[in-house]
């Protein structure tokens, strides 16, 4: 597992470091832009209305954005469908770059007291062989050790929600947004159903849609592969992302709390067996041959681990034609989940957006806000495109293929 592995390794490293590099570059660009905006903002009038921004969805993105904007003096109204701790089997691995972005937003403490597990690198298993790839510490440009974190997504989300709603200028309300209110191509607010079951409205100069991939606004979703998740109550305790390369699937295991391991098996859509009659269990057991962590996997299934099938999607970013609205997070842009970088991307987007919006005195100036959205898109593009491309390359390298040529590449790239 020496030389060829450098390929896989380089990709991971690139993902972490490219993030930093692009960020530094963007920071420079941003500064010059801010000066212009600041000068223009000085001539603006005072704010109108009760609220400056409506945020739809208090997940990772919506909550972090609410906190960041409120810290800068914005009055924020967050509308979230369900305030209870979400039980989601996604968004559980935060890359070192994601932690860094969280720190930039002043939210790093939200990773504390949630039994988050340190992630120090990768462990790869194939055909009975295995190898370990730690995150590099040499030439580290991070302000702290470059390790990731694995955790229950819902626990992080609850911490972020609490931190945002502790600010006096954040109003977090439970309600389900039904539609956007539009007037002459400008979004003016939302229609939502509150906890009393009443349909009501909210208005703000800026609406941010952060309701994930099932977003009402974005229906152009592309199906790619299907993943299975199981949750055995076992202790893996190795602080690594375990990749088991078998056929026809690739399985990823990681510790999400001190006594739970998440398993995620990526299966090509045409090979997914039915859940019923134990067919899925049999398939999973048979497909994880050749790895020392197989026992854990099988024990988890035998112990009746909860399973779920999720269709994964990739979606390139596309700006809305409408004004007065920004789409963020998975509602805006999604990449292959194997790269485990969705949270890092949305948090970085928030860091960029926050700096661009900060100097604007009046979010009601639609022209100015539109310019910010355009700048935001230009600044984020190099990084997000890199991560998206890496995501698809990563999945192609890892996931088995029926196409012999493709499978040969996979084996060539990843001999252990
Ligand atoms: C299979 C899979 C695995 C993944 N694994 C990882 C990983 O390991 N690491 C990683 O970084 N990323 C991962 N991701 C991506 C990550 O989950 C997302 O990028 C991240 O959660 C996006 O945050 P968000 O704020 O856009 O959405 P969410 O965090 O999902 O928040 C959306 C919120 O909007 C609310 N909402 C929805 N509709 C409405 C409505 N109409 N009105 C009001 N509220 C509404 C929801 O209740 C929810 O709280 C994975 C994705 C998938 C699909
Ligand atoms: C770290 O930086 C030094 C000096 O720039 C370089 O020689 C070395 O190869 C780098 N190490 C790694 C692991 O990139
Ligand atoms: C909005 O901002 C632009 C500059 O970006 C300025 O020229 C324009 O006068 C502003 N409009 C209003 C209504 O304040």
């Amino acid at each position: 597992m020496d030389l060829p592995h450098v390929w896989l390794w380089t990709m991971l490293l690139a993902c972490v470091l490219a993030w930093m590099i692009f960020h530094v570059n963007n920071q420079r660009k941003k500064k010059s832009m801010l000066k212009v905006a600041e000068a223009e903002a000085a001539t603006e009038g005072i704010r109108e209305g009760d609220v400056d921004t409506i945020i739809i969805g208090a997940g990772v993105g919506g909550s972090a954005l609410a906190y960041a904007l409120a810290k800068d003096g914005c009055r924020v109204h967050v509308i979230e469908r369900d305030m209870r701790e979400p039980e989601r089997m996604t968004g559980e691995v935060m890359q070192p770059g994601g932690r860094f972005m969280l720190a930039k937003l002043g939210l790093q403490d939200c990773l504390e007291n949630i039994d988050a597990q340190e992630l120090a690198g990768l462990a790869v298993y194939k055909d009975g062989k295995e190898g370990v790839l730690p995150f590099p510490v040499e030439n580290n440009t991070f302000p702290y050790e470059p390790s990731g974190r694995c955790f229950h997504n819902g626990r992080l989300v609850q911490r972020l929600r609490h931190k945002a709603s502790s600010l006096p200028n954040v109003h977090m309300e439970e309600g389900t947004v039904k539609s956007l209110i539009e007037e002459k191509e400008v979004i003016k607010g939302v229609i939502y159903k509150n906890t009393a079951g009443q349909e009501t409205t909210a208005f703000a100069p800026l609406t941010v849609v952060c309701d994930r991939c099932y977003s009402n606004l974005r229906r152009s979703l592309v199906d790619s592969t299907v993943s299975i998740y199981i949750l055995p109550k076992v202790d893996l305790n190795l602080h690594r992302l375990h990749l088991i390369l078998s056929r026809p699937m690739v399985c990823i295991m990681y510790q999400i709390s001190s006594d739970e391991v998440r398993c995620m098996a990526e299966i090509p859509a045409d090979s997914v067996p039915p859940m019923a009659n134990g067919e899925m269990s049999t398939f999973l057991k048979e497909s994880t041959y050749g790895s020392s962590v197989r026992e854990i996997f099988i024990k988890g299934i035998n112990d009746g681990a909860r399973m779920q099938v999720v269709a994964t999607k990739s979606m390139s970013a596309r700006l809305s034609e409408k004004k007065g609205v920004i789409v963020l997070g998975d509602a805006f842009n999604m990449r292959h989940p194997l790269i485990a970088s969705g949270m890092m991307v949305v948090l970085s987007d928030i860091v960029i957006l926050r700096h661009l919006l900060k100097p604007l005195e009046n979010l009601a100036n639609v022209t100015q806000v539109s310019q910010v959205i355009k700048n935001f898109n230009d600044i984020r593009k190099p990084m997000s495109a890199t991560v998206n491309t890496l995501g698809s390359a990563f999945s192609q390298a890892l996931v088995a293929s029926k196409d012999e040529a493709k499978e040969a590449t996979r084996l060539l790239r990843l001999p252990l």
Side-chain angles (χ1 to χ4, degrees):
M1 107 144 234
D2 298 336
L3 258 189
H5 238 96
V6 170
W7 180 86
L8 172 67
W9 179 218
T10 308
M11 194 140 93
L12 270 183
L13 184 59
C15 188
V16 175
L17 295 186
W19 195 262
M20 301 282 307
I21 293 158
F22 274 112
H23 199 79
V24 169
N25 284 345
N26 291 337
Q27 202 77 26
R28 282 197 205 109
K29 253 192 267 171
K30 226 180 318 176
K31 283 211 176 104
S32 58
M33 242 177 286
L34 288 191
K35 275 191 194 127
V36 179
E38 256 156 9
E40 283 171 2
T43 61
E44 286 290 340
I46 48 158
R47 294 167 204 253
E48 287 169 49
D50 294 334
V51 165
D52 303 300
T53 310
I54 295 170
I55 297 176
I56 308 169
V60 173
S63 308
L65 180 70
Y67 181 81
L69 294 185
K71 272 280 176 192
D72 294 343
C74 252
R75 293 158 304 170
V76 185
H77 182 187
V78 185
I79 305 171
E80 163 58 45
R81 190 169 48 191
D82 191 346
M83 287 297 186
R84 288 169 304 177
E85 182 174 312
E87 259 198 68
R88 249 177 243 140
M89 295 195 187
T90 68
E92 297 171 326
V93 179
M94 186 172 279
Q95 301 283 0
R99 272 182 75 208
F100 184 53
M101 294 300 141
L102 212 52
K104 273 182 170 279
L105 294 168
L107 291 165
Q108 69 274 33
D109 56 323
C110 294
L111 284 171
E112 287 160 19
N113 303 321
I114 58 170
D115 198 15
Q117 305 292 304
E118 190 186 337
L119 184 72
L122 277 182
V124 187
Y125 306 84
K126 187 164 171 281
D127 300 330
K129 295 177 201 147
E130 56 187 79
V132 170
L133 305 156
F135 282 134
V137 276
E138 204 185 329
N139 300 348
N140 171 30
T141 44
F142 273 59
Y144 42 67
E145 96 288 2
S147 65
R149 292 288 182 274
C150 302
F151 42 78
H152 279 266
N153 175 278
R155 293 182 188 167
L156 173 68
V157 167
Q158 286 310 81
R159 292 290 308 261
L160 291 170
R161 285 175 179 170
H162 285 138
K163 186 141 180 181
S165 54
S166 70
L167 298 176
N169 46 340
V170 173
H171 171 46
M172 215 178 259
E173 185 185 3
E174 191 166 273
T176 303
V177 174
K178 297 292 177 192
S179 59
L180 303 177
I181 301 168
E182 185 186 331
E183 202 183 286
K184 295 183 187 132
E185 301 278 294
V186 179
I187 303 301
K188 299 283 186 182
V190 301
I191 299 176
Y192 68 105
K193 201 172 232 176
N194 61 21
T195 41
Q198 289 157 335
E199 237 174 53
T200 174
T201 52
F203 293 91
L206 179 64
T207 300
V208 184
V209 179
C210 215
D211 62 353
R212 205 161 202 193
C213 52
Y214 312 106
S215 175
N216 294 331
L217 268 188
R218 289 292 306 260
R219 294 228 177 262
S220 58
L221 302 175
V222 189
D223 274 306
S224 57
T225 45
V226 177
S227 310
I228 319 298
Y229 297 78
I230 59 170
L231 181 72
K233 290 251 176 199
V234 286
D235 191 355
L236 195 60
N237 204 16
L238 286 170
H239 303 301
R240 295 198 181 94
L241 206 60
H242 299 261
L243 291 174
I244 307 169
L245 307 176
S246 58
R247 264 183 172 184
M249 63 174 208
V250 51
C251 178
I252 298 184
M253 297 168 82
Y254 48 90
Q255 185 108 26
I256 55 169
S257 72
S258 13
D259 64 352
E260 291 159 302
V261 171
R262 174 74 75 220
C263 295
M264 170 178 151
E266 164 124 6
I267 306 172
D270 58 358
S271 305
V272 180
M275 248 344 171
N277 303 327
E279 277 183 66
M280 179 63 86
S281 302
T282 308
F283 171 85
L284 290 175
K285 284 187 212 169
E286 284 171 0
S287 303
T288 44
Y289 58 83
S291 90
S292 57
V293 287
R294 181 165 193 247
E295 301 296 306
I296 297 174
F297 189 79
I298 291 184
K299 182 176 182 301
I301 296 176
N302 291 343
D303 288 352
R306 199 157 54 88
M307 296 188 193
Q308 196 181 333
V309 180
V310 184
T312 62
K313 296 158 196 300
S314 299
M315 193 169 71
S316 60
R318 190 165 46 102
L319 278 190
S320 168
E321 298 286 311
K322 315 269 187 243
K323 293 186 167 155
V325 66
I326 299 176
V327 188
L328 268 190
D330 276 13
F332 178 47
N333 185 200
M334 279 168 75
R335 74 252 7 113
H336 200 284
L338 268 184
I339 192 98
S341 300
M343 292 185 289
M344 174 170 81
V345 173
V346 69
L347 291 170
S348 163
D349 281 352
I350 291 169
V351 169
I352 296 169
L353 191 61
R354 176 228 198 132
H355 282 288
L356 292 175
L357 285 174
K358 199 172 180 176
L360 303 193
E361 269 302 312
N362 187 357
L363 294 183
N365 187 327
V366 191
T367 322
Q368 229 173 22
V369 171
S370 293
Q371 190 55 46
V372 161
I373 298 171
K374 203 186 152 294
N375 293 347
F376 162 69
N377 203 45
D378 291 344
I379 292 171
R380 76 180 290 280
K381 208 177 267 169
M383 187 61 235
S384 60
T386 306
V387 177
N388 294 353
T389 308
L390 281 175
S392 101
F394 203 52
S395 73
Q396 277 176 28
L398 296 182
V399 179
S401 172
K402 282 187 179 164
D403 182 309
E404 275 180 32
K406 271 197 197 156
E407 182 61 18
T409 328
R410 173 186 185 234
L411 299 178
L412 191 78
R413 279 174 178 166
L414 293 165
L416 293 165

